[in-house]
Amino acid sequence: MTRSSITFSRRYSLLMIMFFALCLVAKAQLRTDFYQATCPDLLKIVRREVQSAIKTEMRMAASLLRLHFHDCFVNGCDASLLLDVTDSEKAAAPNLNSARGFEVLDRIKSSVESACSGVVSCADILAIAARDSVVLSGGTSWKVLLGRRDGLVANQTGANNGLPSPFETLDVIISKFATVGLDVKDVVSLSGGHTIGLAKCSTFSNRLFNFSGTGSPDSTLNQSMLTDLQNLCPLTGDGSNTAPFDRNSADLFDNHYFQNLINGKGLLGSDQILFSSDAAVTTNTKSLVLSYSSNSRLFLSDFADSMVKMGNISPLTGSAGEIRKNCRLVNS
Ligand code: HEM
Ligand SMILES: *[C@@H]1O[C@H](CO)[C@@H](O)[C@H](O)[C@H]1NC(C)=O
Ligand SMILES: *[C@@H]1O[C@H](CO)[C@@H](O)[C@H](O)[C@H]1NC(C)=O
Ligand SMILES: *[C@@H]1O[C@H](CO)[C@@H](O)[C@H](O)[C@H]1NC(C)=O
């Protein structure tokens, strides 16, 4: 070998080593066995606590699933939503008098702390609780990636701007998902989360009497459902009554949400536009609704994939953030 070829191959191996080292760093991300050594019973503990909360109130499954979504869309999945601070996300419009389940998370966290103190993040507990909520509601399971750390700040403006509203157009909703790295398929499959849980009149009553200044109800809303909702949500009411998203099976995690959309029985404007708006054709959400409505296995498997993607939004890893002792407070 010539001298220059030795130098070349040395340089080359050095480059290769650096390349693989970089890959390792890049991949030093979330993994399923993150707590295997430090908190081996973690999954059992969370499952037991979610089970017990749901036994008291079935709706809690829906509430916990929603909390994970509202956490991940604001500064990533870092449990920023759980902080009781001045700039709290809890007080942002999409969460105020709406987000619920915080006491349940406190309970899960305290059980986890008893078994393995100071090692499991609130962000990871929330991700596991969301998965367990879906499973215990009859939905599909998936392996939750772990190793997130908890953020040090909440972001109320971020919550107001980043979370989708039921009054927005499909294009705006799609762009809010795109901002956090989620695509149109994720929009539709994750909206299927609305197969469980309830919504207050104030989130859909704009559709019931004088929709967008037309003087008439939203024409895409099925007549029989319209009548029921008008009775539940009178103009004189305070908007706090609640209706199930999925009238067929409010507590069951199934694909009825999509069958409902085809029948004009989506509850929120943001639900029904996935099927009925002009944009639903051009953006392809309509064909996804049709696929999920006729293929429950496809929905459940896409939902699981999208949940893993959502759970991967900008996690804090390594030494970023901290492992909170109390999910409501940063460590002092
Ligand atoms: C696509 C944009 C979305 C909009 C505009 C939206 C909006 C809403 C609104 C307005 C409510 C009712 C809140 C209340 O009445 O207090 C709600 C509830 C709920 N959302 Fe969404 N949501 C969206 C996406 C999602 C996603 C991605 C998930 C989870 C994968 C989700 C899961 C839930 C659940 C389970 C509930 C019921 C919560 C309960 O009963 O406590 N939503 N959503
Ligand atoms: C809060 O969220 C906004 C996005 O709406 C972002 O631009 C800003 O940097 C965030 N602030 C903090 C303190 O993380
Ligand atoms: C519906 O709302 C529009 C705009 O807000 C208003 O001009 C109109 O008078 C309303 N129609 C009825 C029937 O209340
Ligand atoms: C309204 O719902 C019924 C089923 O309850 C369905 O047969 C009918 O086609 C729906 N109407 C529209 C306009 O989608």
Side-chain angles (χ1 to χ4, degrees):
M1 255 203 245
T2 66
R3 201 184 175 125
S4 71
S5 77
I6 290 172
T7 312
F8 174 79
S9 70
R10 273 216 192 125
R11 275 206 190 130
Y12 183 71
S13 2
L14 198 67
L15 267 175
M16 288 302 282
I17 289 167
M18 280 167 63
F19 175 74
F20 284 118
L22 260 176
C23 286
L24 275 177
V25 171
K27 291 277 174 202
Q29 290 258 335
L30 307 181
R31 51 194 174 90
T32 55
D33 63 352
F34 189 82
Y35 297 108
Q36 199 162 53
T38 54
C39 197
D41 288 335
L42 172 63
L43 296 181
K44 268 183 232 156
I45 297 168
V46 177
R47 178 66 61 98
R48 175 169 32 81
E49 291 293 342
V50 173
Q51 175 104 60
S52 127
I54 287 176
K55 213 172 140 195
T56 309
E57 187 201 20
M58 192 60 215
R59 182 188 179 188
M60 192 48 69
S63 305
L64 292 173
L65 171 60
R66 186 171 186 235
L67 288 187
H68 181 46
F69 158 51
H70 280 205
D71 177 33
C72 290
F73 266 57
V74 185
N75 285 19
C77 311
D78 66 346
S80 55
L81 170 61
L82 307 182
L83 289 173
D84 287 332
V85 289
T86 320
D87 192 37
S88 84
E89 292 169 24
K90 294 178 181 182
N95 293 324
L96 190 64
N97 300 318
S98 178
R100 59 200 296 283
F102 299 110
E103 299 77 13
V104 172
L105 280 166
D106 290 339
R107 225 152 32 233
I108 306 175
K109 173 68 170 173
S110 111
S111 291
V112 170
E113 287 297 301
S114 307
C116 17
S117 178
V119 297
V120 183
S121 68
C122 297
D124 278 344
I125 289 176
L126 193 42
I128 301 166
R131 188 273 311 268
D132 289 354
S133 294
V134 171
V135 171
L136 295 169
S137 300
T140 190
S141 190
W142 62 89
K143 288 198 155 61
V144 180
L145 295 173
L146 300 167
R148 300 170 190 80
R149 290 167 64 85
D150 298 322
L152 304 175
V153 293
N155 190 340
Q156 197 171 103
T157 313
N160 277 318
N161 297 339
L163 290 168
S165 136
F167 313 117
E168 284 167 343
T169 63
L170 186 53
D171 290 324
V172 170
I173 289 173
I174 288 173
S175 77
K176 287 189 169 180
F177 276 67
T179 300
V180 292
L182 299 178
D183 61 22
V184 168
K185 196 162 114 179
D186 300 315
V187 171
V188 180
S189 67
L190 291 173
S191 290
H194 288 173
T195 178
I196 54 173
L198 309 177
K200 289 195 301 284
C201 290
S202 55
T203 63
F204 56 82
S205 57
N206 64 313
R207 309 180 65 203
L208 305 181
F209 301 100
N210 186 356
F211 180 59
S212 303
T214 57
S216 312
D218 185 340
S219 61
T220 62
L221 184 54
N222 191 294
Q223 182 59 49
S224 63
M225 181 156 156
L226 171 66
T227 308
D228 291 349
L229 293 178
Q230 284 173 331
N231 289 327
L232 179 77
C233 310
L235 280 168
T236 51
D238 67 358
S240 68
N241 285 346
T242 53
F245 274 105
D246 177 0
R247 290 151 43 104
N248 309 22
S249 52
D251 295 330
L252 189 62
F253 201 97
D254 58 14
N255 69 337
H256 281 159
Y257 169 81
F258 298 101
Q259 297 170 2
N260 291 341
L261 296 185
I262 292 171
N263 286 319
K265 293 184 176 178
L267 186 58
L268 307 178
S270 53
D271 293 319
Q272 195 58 50
I273 53 175
L274 295 174
F275 182 76
S276 302
S277 65
D278 293 339
V281 180
T282 49
T283 60
N284 225 25
T285 62
K286 182 171 182 168
S287 61
L288 283 163
V289 169
L290 285 165
S291 303
Y292 293 151
S293 73
S294 64
N295 188 341
S296 150
R297 279 181 49 204
L298 179 68
F299 161 55
L300 292 175
S301 121
D302 281 2
F303 181 83
D305 290 349
S306 294
M307 284 296 290
V308 172
K309 255 175 101 176
M310 186 175 84
N312 256 321
I313 300 173
S314 315
L316 299 172
T317 55
S319 59
E322 64 180 13
I323 303 298
R324 259 177 237 158
K325 293 190 174 71
N326 174 339
C327 291
R328 294 173 184 266
L329 306 166
V330 294
N331 301 338
S332 47

